[in-house]
Amino acid sequence: MNIRQSSSTFSQRGPERTEGHIRGVECPEGGLHDTPALRWDGVEVSYGGKPALYDVSFEIPTGTLSAIVGPNGAGKSTAVKAALGLVPLNRGSVRVLGGQLREHRSRVAYVPQQDLVTKDFPITAIQVVEMGRYPHRGWFRRLTKADDAAVAEAVRRTGITDLVNEPLDELSGGQRQRVFLARALAQRADLLVLDEPFTAVDARTEAALTDLLAELCADGEHTVIAVHHDLRTVAERFDHAALLSGTVVAAGPVHEVLTAAALEQAYGLVLAAREKPREDPSTREYPARDQSERVTSAP
Amino acid sequence: MATDDLVIILTAGSLATACGLLGPFLVLRRQSLTSDAIGHAVLPGVVGMYLLTGSRSSLLATLGAAAFGLICVLGFDALRRTRLLGTDAAIALTFPALFSLGVLGISKFASGAHIDLDSTIYGEITFAPFRTMAIGGLDVPRPLLTTVLTAVLTLAFVLVLWRPLHALTFDPEFADVTGMRGRLVQRLALVASALVAVTAFDSVGAILVVTFFVVPAAAAHLVSNRLDTMLLVSVGIGWISAIVGQRAAVAYDSSIAGMIGLTAVCCFLLIRLFAPRRGVAWRLVRGRPARARGQPKNTSASA
């Protein structure tokens, strides 16, 4: 429920906010790699009249392993949902792969937060992965040999060969996340968007999956964007980051974004916004991992 | 077995087919009570149609009922999408409002007239063989004809929309992002459920409709690892209930709808007790707690 923020957050934006307007904006359009994979322009989103995101402008360059970070209720998930048309924009616009989302749907793979997936749905792991081919085959056309090959490769790369016939609801959190990542890989998309992919995932699986994502981006063609909680992992493994707190605090190469000043601003803002910092002193410690935010409004 | 018995079994079985194909989607999407809600929400349609036309014909009543069935499902779906309240609350908010409207309509304008809901909209399966209509010189029981037609149309609906239904019931955001028209298909599924329910009310009565939508699907859920299996098992349980229930009702000279409903619930209990892996007996024999569906066996959480 923390997705909503007190509007006082926004009145306290410092002048540093302009740092959020980032590298690459001045790049000429035209060359494929000058086109950002995702670009938010003055995006504003609210839930039930309460603002969740305000004046968000930043972009994710193509070919990067990027993270969207920030404290609870910063609007991280909202920012990616706004980009993917899952929540309506009050204001502003988003460009996906240089165009409108509807032009590029099959090129965008999405892994939602686990709590938005029907928990007890009767489905086997391989059926989930095959779903990644639906965007290419529409409502009716049968899956082809090429689809089977894409599915097989995704299964192999995510290391779920032994699990393919298991019911999804009997898998562990880490195994489930491998399956969902396999679905995204099977789609052979250019842009992968993952919302909190590493909650309920053990550290070993997280490292393995992050390796896989980094490998995917290494060709300069694929872009991965993950909403992420673990600032340490982001600093070590990711290329690019956007730090949100109701709006953009900073965005750019990781080492420029995760500075003490920016973090202070992002996390400090939220604490200030809650009139009494009544709960979790751990927030001040910029927790490596935080499970408490996971209640987003279900559809 | 007399022809009348066969008509009843086939009518109930066809209805079980239609409901068994749609029920799993409602159960998985936490919208199980949709059918019961529709049963109440149709009242203003029935009353309004009577007030407009002065006729108590079953066809007109069904049309009025269908209109309000659609208002009910589309209304709660719109309410749900505001995210201001959950699916259960959205359903519970919509149908009492419509039902109240119907009750007011009766008390204000039609208290003198006799609107017998049992005979206008809430049918009784026992009478199915006697409500015949002539087709090409043959007397065909109308309830049988409508339920068979409903079952065929429902099967076609599910086959055509299988892929989007599968994706959106499992992972609605994925369906939306990949352009499967999730919202449209979701509404179509609710509309189909409403139409099946309204048709069925007229043919077999309200209790059987709610039973066939929810109980076989809930039972099938316990033994299925795939959605297609769940639909087939659900339809199968519906047919078993129709056959066993009808025979038992004849043997004990009691209510057919009641016996069919009871048989369906017995099927659920048997499966709950003896299902492989998820059944109670399995748990006792294996000596370890059975997991409820949806709870992973080892949450290798970060902690």
Side-chain angles (χ1 to χ4, degrees), chain A residues 5 69-76 229 243-245 266-268 270 283 293:
Chain A
Q5 277 197 317
V69 294
N72 288 347
K76 305 183 292 293
H229 258 96
L243 177 58
L244 301 188
S245 176
Y267 287 81
V270 164
T283 312
E293 194 200 3

Side-chain angles (χ1 to χ4, degrees), chain A residues 14-32:
Chain A
E16 297 87 337
R17 196 184 57 78
T18 45
E19 282 177 16
H21 299 263
I22 354 104
R23 74 162 193 179
V25 176
E26 66 278 6
C27 281
E29 298 243 327
L32 180 68

